[in-house]
Amino acid sequence: MRQSILSARAKLALLIFILAFAAKTAPAQSRIGYISMSELIQAMPEFKKADSSLSNYQNALNQRYQEMVKEFNEKDSMLSSPDTLHMTREQLDVSRRGLTELYSRVQGFSQQVNQLLQQRQDELLAPIRKKANDLIWQLAREHGYTYVLLKETIAVYPLSDDLMPYAKQKLALK
C-alpha cells in the first residue's frame, strides 16, 4: 500500500511537472492583422513621383508611336498618289519594301509598348514595394501581430485589426 501511495504521488508529481512544462512552452496566441497593400503604396509619398514618371514615360511612348504611324501614313499616301507614275518599277519596289518594313516596325512597337510600360512600372515600384513590406514587418512587430494578411485577399476582417492607421501614422499622413 505504501508503494501505491508513492507511485500515486510520483504520478501526481510527474503530471504537475508535465503540465507546468507544457504551460511554459505553449505558444502564445497568434494575433492576425491585415492591411491593404495597394492603399499603403498609393499613400506613400514616393508613389506620386513614380506614378508621374510612369505617366511621362507612357506619353513619350505614345508620342513615338504616333510619329511612326504618321510616317507610315505619309509614305503610304505617297505610294498611292499619281506621282508614282514617274517612278521606275525598281523605285516602286524599293518604296513598297520600305513601307512594309515600316509597317512591321510600327506593329512591333505597338506590341512592345505594354512590355516596356510594365518593365518601367516594375523598376519604379520595386523600391516602394520593398519599403511597404518593411513597414508592414515593423508594424507587426511593434503591435504584436504574428500574421498580417493582405486586405485584397480576404473577404471578412475585423476593423480593429487594420494596420493602415498605424502605417499612416508612421508615414506622417492624415
Side-chain angles (χ1 to χ4, degrees), residues 5-71:
I5 293 175
L6 283 176
S7 73
R9 284 186 182 169
K11 287 180 184 177
L12 183 60
L14 181 63
L15 180 62
I16 291 172
F17 176 76
I18 290 174
L19 289 175
F21 182 76
K24 286 184 180 180
T25 60
Q29 185 173 355
S30 296
R31 189 164 174 209
I32 300 173
Y34 66 91
I35 193 163
S36 171
M37 182 64 90
S38 61
E39 186 180 343
L40 175 61
I41 287 174
Q42 289 175 10
M44 296 173 79
E46 300 92 338
F47 176 77
K48 289 170 183 55
K49 183 179 177 185
D51 190 47
S52 174
S53 178
L54 185 64
S55 180
N56 290 340
Y57 185 67
Q58 183 176 16
N59 290 338
L61 290 174
N62 286 338
Q63 182 179 354
R64 176 66 185 127
Y65 177 74
Q66 293 302 323
E67 290 169 359
M68 291 173 77
V69 168
K70 182 180 175 186
E71 180 184 357

Side-chain angles (χ1 to χ4, degrees), residues 3 10 19 33 38 49 105 110 114 121 135 162 165 168:
Q3 208 173 16
L19 289 175
S38 61
K49 183 179 177 185
R105 286 197 322 263
S110 173
N114 287 335
Q121 183 180 30
L135 178 62
D162 187 1
K168 286 182 177 180

Side-chain angles (χ1 to χ4, degrees), residues 16-17 44-45 89 112-114 116 128 144 154:
I16 291 172
F17 176 76
M44 296 173 79
R89 183 177 190 90
Q112 190 181 19
V113 165
N114 287 335
L116 291 170
I128 298 170
I154 53 178

